[in-house]
Amino acid sequence: RGMRGPGMRSRGGQAEMLLRLVNNPMMRQRVGITTEQAAKIRQQTSDFLKQQIHSRANLQVQRIDLQNLMAAENPDRAAIDKTLEQISALQLARTKADVDFRLAMRNALTPEQQQKLMQMRQEFMRRGPGRGGRMGPRGPQGMTNRPGPGSPQSQNPLAEN
Protein backbone atom coordinates (compact mmCIF):
# COMPACT_ATOMS: atom_id res chain seq x y z
CA ARG A 1 0.00 0.00 0.00
CA GLY A 2 2.81 2.37 0.80
CA MET A 3 5.08 3.88 -1.80
CA ARG A 4 8.19 1.88 -2.56
CA GLY A 5 11.21 2.97 -4.48
CA PRO A 6 12.78 1.06 -7.33
CA GLY A 7 13.93 -2.37 -6.29
CA MET A 8 12.18 -2.31 -2.91
CA ARG A 9 10.17 -5.38 -2.03
CA SER A 10 6.94 -5.34 -0.11
CA ARG A 11 7.26 -5.64 3.65
CA GLY A 12 8.13 -9.21 4.45
CA GLY A 13 9.02 -10.04 0.83
CA GLN A 14 12.75 -9.81 1.43
CA ALA A 15 12.34 -11.72 4.68
CA GLU A 16 10.57 -14.57 2.93
CA MET A 17 13.24 -14.64 0.21
CA LEU A 18 16.00 -14.82 2.82
CA LEU A 19 14.22 -17.64 4.64
CA ARG A 20 14.01 -19.62 1.40
CA LEU A 21 17.72 -19.03 0.89
CA VAL A 22 18.88 -20.07 4.37
CA ASN A 23 16.50 -23.04 4.47
CA ASN A 24 17.91 -24.43 1.22
CA PRO A 25 21.20 -26.25 1.90
CA MET A 26 22.29 -26.09 -1.75
CA MET A 27 21.72 -22.33 -1.93
CA ARG A 28 23.41 -21.76 1.44
CA GLN A 29 26.45 -23.65 0.19
CA ARG A 30 26.50 -21.79 -3.13
CA VAL A 31 26.47 -18.42 -1.34
CA GLY A 32 28.76 -19.66 1.44
CA ILE A 33 26.41 -18.96 4.34
CA THR A 34 27.58 -20.59 7.56
CA THR A 35 25.33 -22.42 9.99
CA GLU A 36 25.77 -19.55 12.46
CA GLN A 37 24.82 -16.96 9.86
CA ALA A 38 21.76 -19.00 8.86
CA ALA A 39 20.64 -19.27 12.48
CA LYS A 40 21.09 -15.52 13.01
CA ILE A 41 19.18 -14.70 9.81
CA ARG A 42 16.37 -17.09 10.80
CA GLN A 43 16.03 -15.50 14.25
CA GLN A 44 16.15 -11.92 13.00
CA THR A 45 13.70 -12.73 10.23
CA SER A 46 11.31 -14.42 12.65
CA ASP A 47 11.46 -11.43 15.00
CA PHE A 48 10.91 -9.01 12.09
CA LEU A 49 7.93 -10.92 10.70
CA LYS A 50 6.30 -11.16 14.14
CA GLN A 51 6.82 -7.43 14.69
CA GLN A 52 5.32 -6.69 11.27
CA ILE A 53 2.22 -8.73 12.11
CA HIS A 54 1.71 -6.75 15.32
CA SER A 55 2.33 -3.38 13.68
CA ARG A 56 0.02 -4.21 10.74
CA ALA A 57 -2.74 -5.17 13.22
CA ASN A 58 -2.24 -1.95 15.22
CA LEU A 59 -2.41 0.07 12.01
CA GLN A 60 -5.63 -1.64 10.96
CA VAL A 61 -7.19 -0.96 14.37
CA GLN A 62 -6.29 2.73 14.08
CA ARG A 63 -7.83 2.87 10.60
CA ILE A 64 -11.05 1.34 11.94
CA ASP A 65 -11.03 3.93 14.72
CA LEU A 66 -10.62 6.66 12.11
CA GLN A 67 -13.53 5.30 10.07
CA ASN A 68 -15.70 5.27 13.20
CA LEU A 69 -14.73 8.85 14.03
CA MET A 70 -15.47 9.96 10.47
CA ALA A 71 -18.85 8.19 10.47
CA ALA A 72 -20.05 10.07 13.56
CA GLU A 73 -22.90 12.52 13.06
CA ASN A 74 -20.72 15.31 14.48
CA PRO A 75 -17.10 14.25 13.82
CA ASP A 76 -14.64 15.33 16.53
CA ARG A 77 -11.88 17.02 14.55
CA ALA A 78 -9.38 16.86 17.42
CA ALA A 79 -9.91 13.10 17.82
CA ILE A 80 -9.61 12.61 14.05
CA ASP A 81 -6.35 14.58 13.98
CA LYS A 82 -4.98 12.58 16.91
CA THR A 83 -5.88 9.30 15.21
CA LEU A 84 -4.28 10.50 11.95
CA GLU A 85 -1.11 11.31 13.87
CA GLN A 86 -1.15 7.84 15.44
CA ILE A 87 -1.58 6.26 12.00
CA SER A 88 1.33 8.32 10.66
CA ALA A 89 3.51 7.32 13.60
CA LEU A 90 2.69 3.63 13.08
CA GLN A 91 3.47 3.88 9.36
CA LEU A 92 6.78 5.59 10.11
CA ALA A 93 7.66 2.91 12.67
CA ARG A 94 6.89 0.17 10.11
CA THR A 95 9.09 1.84 7.50
CA LYS A 96 11.94 2.27 9.98
CA ALA A 97 11.63 -1.39 11.06
CA ASP A 98 11.76 -2.42 7.41
CA VAL A 99 14.92 -0.36 6.83
CA ASP A 100 16.48 -1.68 10.05
CA PHE A 101 15.77 -5.26 8.96
CA ARG A 102 17.18 -4.72 5.46
CA LEU A 103 20.38 -3.21 6.90
CA ALA A 104 20.70 -6.01 9.48
CA MET A 105 20.36 -8.61 6.74
CA ARG A 106 22.96 -6.82 4.65
CA ASN A 107 25.31 -6.85 7.64
CA ALA A 108 24.62 -10.55 8.25
CA LEU A 109 26.36 -11.40 4.96
CA THR A 110 29.94 -10.69 3.97
CA PRO A 111 30.55 -8.50 0.91
CA GLU A 112 31.54 -11.65 -1.01
CA GLN A 113 28.30 -13.38 -0.04
CA GLN A 114 26.30 -10.31 -1.01
CA GLN A 115 28.03 -10.31 -4.40
CA LYS A 116 27.28 -14.03 -4.95
CA LEU A 117 23.67 -13.48 -4.00
CA MET A 118 23.38 -10.54 -6.38
CA GLN A 119 24.91 -12.60 -9.20
CA MET A 120 22.50 -15.46 -8.53
CA ARG A 121 19.56 -13.06 -8.56
CA GLN A 122 20.74 -11.58 -11.87
CA GLU A 123 21.17 -15.06 -13.36
CA PHE A 124 17.67 -15.97 -12.34
CA MET A 125 16.22 -12.76 -13.78
CA ARG A 126 18.04 -13.33 -17.10
CA ARG A 127 16.68 -16.88 -17.34
CA GLY A 128 13.18 -15.70 -16.56
CA PRO A 129 10.14 -17.81 -15.77
CA GLY A 130 10.11 -21.23 -17.36
CA ARG A 131 13.88 -21.43 -17.76
CA GLY A 132 15.03 -22.96 -14.54
CA GLY A 133 12.60 -21.17 -12.30
CA ARG A 134 8.90 -20.55 -12.40
CA MET A 135 7.07 -17.52 -11.16
CA GLY A 136 4.13 -18.20 -8.93
CA PRO A 137 2.04 -16.31 -6.43
CA ARG A 138 4.99 -16.36 -4.01
CA GLY A 139 7.66 -15.36 -6.52
CA PRO A 140 10.48 -17.45 -7.97
CA GLN A 141 9.98 -21.08 -7.06
CA GLY A 142 12.88 -22.67 -8.93
CA MET A 143 15.41 -21.44 -6.37
CA THR A 144 13.82 -23.30 -3.49
CA ASN A 145 14.16 -26.80 -2.18
CA ARG A 146 10.99 -26.95 -0.13
CA PRO A 147 9.73 -30.05 1.61
CA GLY A 148 6.48 -31.52 0.38
CA PRO A 149 3.10 -30.85 1.96
CA GLY A 150 2.62 -32.54 5.30
CA SER A 151 6.32 -32.91 6.05
CA PRO A 152 7.51 -31.51 9.39
CA GLN A 153 9.50 -28.72 7.73
CA SER A 154 6.51 -27.56 5.69
CA GLN A 155 4.72 -26.82 8.96
CA ASN A 156 7.53 -24.54 10.21
CA PRO A 157 9.09 -22.24 7.59
CA LEU A 158 11.87 -21.35 10.02
CA ALA A 159 13.01 -24.95 10.52
CA GLU A 160 16.40 -25.96 9.20
CA ASN A 161 16.59 -28.53 6.40
Side-chain angles (χ1 to χ4, degrees), residues 2 19 48 54 66 72 87 91 93 95 102-103 108 112 122 132 140 157:
L19 279 178
F48 171 73
H54 288 293
L66 178 61
I87 289 171
Q91 289 171 328
T95 301
R102 291 170 61 109
L103 291 175
E112 295 80 18
Q122 289 171 349

Side-chain angles (χ1 to χ4, degrees), residues 60-70 83 86:
Q60 289 172 336
V61 167
Q62 288 297 317
R63 287 181 177 149
I64 290 169
D65 289 347
L66 178 61
Q67 288 173 351
N68 292 338
L69 289 168
M70 295 291 293
T83 303
Q86 291 169 338

Side-chain angles (χ1 to χ4, degrees), residues 8 11 52 90-100:
M8 289 191 70
R11 293 185 206 285
Q52 287 295 297
L90 288 169
Q91 289 171 328
L92 177 61
R94 283 177 52 90
T95 301
K96 284 183 175 184
D98 191 47
V99 168
D100 290 344

Side-chain angles (χ1 to χ4, degrees), residues 2-14:
M3 294 182 14
R4 293 188 293 268
M8 289 191 70
R9 297 170 119 347
S10 62
R11 293 185 206 285
Q14 183 178 28

